[in-house]
């Protein structure tokens, strides 16, 4: 008897979205203000980790990669996250400093998509955030050679214990760790609607400022 699990049938999996339409007149004049409004709505709705976002990067050769990271700050300059600069995403961004972000707020039938250029933030700004992290997270940043092959869990735990013994308090900021800022050139606000006629409103940066456009769903 074949015990291989069979893929579930997916064709019938669907969710019906209903609600008021999202109109151009409902949105703020710039995407950062609009993001703030929607982020607060996600917080008020009790969404788990509303700052979790899918970060997509690509190597110089065009090989894509995506993973979930946490947004740790934003303002009119862009959206900030922190990572090991030697990780796969760090290497991608060194070769190809462009990225896409996705906030999948499905329980409130919303998504936000951001595309932009990426730069490292200052060491001082990275250090300020690093020092605010829990002690274990700071040691973990040192212990993990992110994206490198590890022989075993025991090897990782042993390295953590070694570093915790070296710095029983106040570990310094690793020189291979810090923040990136995604400066948006496009920001799309998506809201689910009936019959898959979803609302997609996109801010696009131009020389005079932001242009708001509606996209077909």
């Amino acid at each position: 008897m074949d015990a291989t699990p069979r893929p579930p049938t997916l064709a019938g999996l669907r969710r019906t979205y209903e609600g008021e339409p999202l109109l151009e007149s409902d949105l703020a004049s710039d995407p950062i203000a609009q993001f703030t409004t929607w982020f607060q709505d996600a917080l008020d709705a009790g969404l788990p980790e509303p700052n979790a976002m899918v970060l997509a990067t690509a190597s110089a050769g065009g090989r894509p990669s995506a993973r979930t990271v946490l947004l740790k700050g934003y303002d009119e300059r862009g959206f900030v996250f922190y990572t090991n600069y030697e990780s796969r995403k760090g290497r991608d961004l060194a070769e190809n400093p462009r990225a896409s972000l996705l906030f999948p707020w499905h329980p409130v039938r919303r998504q936000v998509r951001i595309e932009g250029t990426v730069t490292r933030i200052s060491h001082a700004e990275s250090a300020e955030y690093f020092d605010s992290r829990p002690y274990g997270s700071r040691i973990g940043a040192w212990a993990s050679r992110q994206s490198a092959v590890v022989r075993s869990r025991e090897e990782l735990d042993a390295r953590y214990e070694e570093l915790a013994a070296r710095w029983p308090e106040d570990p310094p900021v690793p020189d291979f760790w810090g923040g990136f800022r995604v400066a948006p050139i496009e920001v799309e606000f998506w809201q689910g609607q009936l019959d898959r006629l979803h609302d997609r409103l996109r801010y696009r940066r131009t020389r005079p400022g932001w242009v708001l456009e509606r996209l077909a769903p």
Side-chain angles (χ1 to χ4, degrees):
M1 181 177 179
D2 185 4
T4 303
R6 297 186 180 280
T9 301
L10 303 179
L13 290 178
R14 57 175 53 87
R15 178 180 175 183
T16 299
Y17 295 100
E18 296 183 18
E20 294 298 318
L22 180 65
L23 303 178
E24 287 82 346
S25 58
D26 297 329
L27 270 61
S29 58
D30 75 85
I32 304 303
Q34 185 59 40
F35 181 85
T36 298
T37 296
W38 273 26
F39 192 84
Q40 187 61 54
D41 288 346
L43 285 172
D44 293 344
L47 270 61
E49 295 196 285
N51 61 325
M53 58 187 185
V54 179
L55 165 69
T57 60
S59 67
R63 184 180 179 185
S65 180
R67 75 291 287 161
T68 300
V69 300
L70 296 178
L71 176 70
K72 287 300 180 178
Y74 73 93
D75 55 25
E76 67 281 354
R77 296 171 297 169
F79 298 79
V80 173
F81 66 93
Y82 294 86
T83 190
N84 186 314
Y85 290 140
E86 298 172 359
S87 65
R88 180 171 178 180
K89 55 186 170 296
R91 296 194 304 270
D92 278 357
L93 292 170
E95 298 174 1
N96 182 8
R98 299 174 181 82
S100 176
L101 307 174
L102 169 67
F103 292 86
W105 296 328
H106 298 147
V108 292
R109 64 187 180 93
R110 286 176 174 175
Q111 296 182 80
V112 180
R113 295 176 60 248
I114 299 163
E115 296 179 18
T117 57
V118 185
T119 56
R120 290 189 186 187
I121 67 173
S122 70
H123 176 76
E125 191 174 354
S126 290
E128 180 179 5
Y129 171 69
F130 186 83
D131 291 342
S132 75
R133 303 178 83 198
Y135 170 79
S137 296
R138 285 180 280 166
I139 293 295
W142 276 99
S144 175
R145 298 182 176 93
Q146 197 173 83
S147 301
V149 174
V150 181
R151 287 191 298 270
S152 66
R153 176 72 203 197
E154 289 75 17
E155 177 186 352
L156 184 62
D157 290 341
R159 179 164 172 76
Y160 181 96
E161 294 302 326
E162 174 191 343
L163 292 163
R166 181 188 301 178
W167 294 304
E169 57 183 24
D170 296 328
V173 184
D175 58 5
F176 52 79
W177 185 97
F180 285 105
R181 176 176 286 110
V182 181
I185 56 176
E186 291 188 2
V187 184
E188 178 187 323
F189 292 85
W190 180 100
Q191 185 165 291
Q193 297 294 352
L194 193 64
D195 297 326
R196 296 299 186 261
L197 295 179
H198 310 306
D199 289 312
R200 297 177 61 191
L201 294 176
R202 178 183 66 184
Y203 293 85
R204 180 169 52 84
R205 188 186 290 278
T206 64
R207 284 189 178 277
W210 292 99
V211 172
L212 182 60
E213 303 166 316
R214 178 174 290 271
L215 304 178

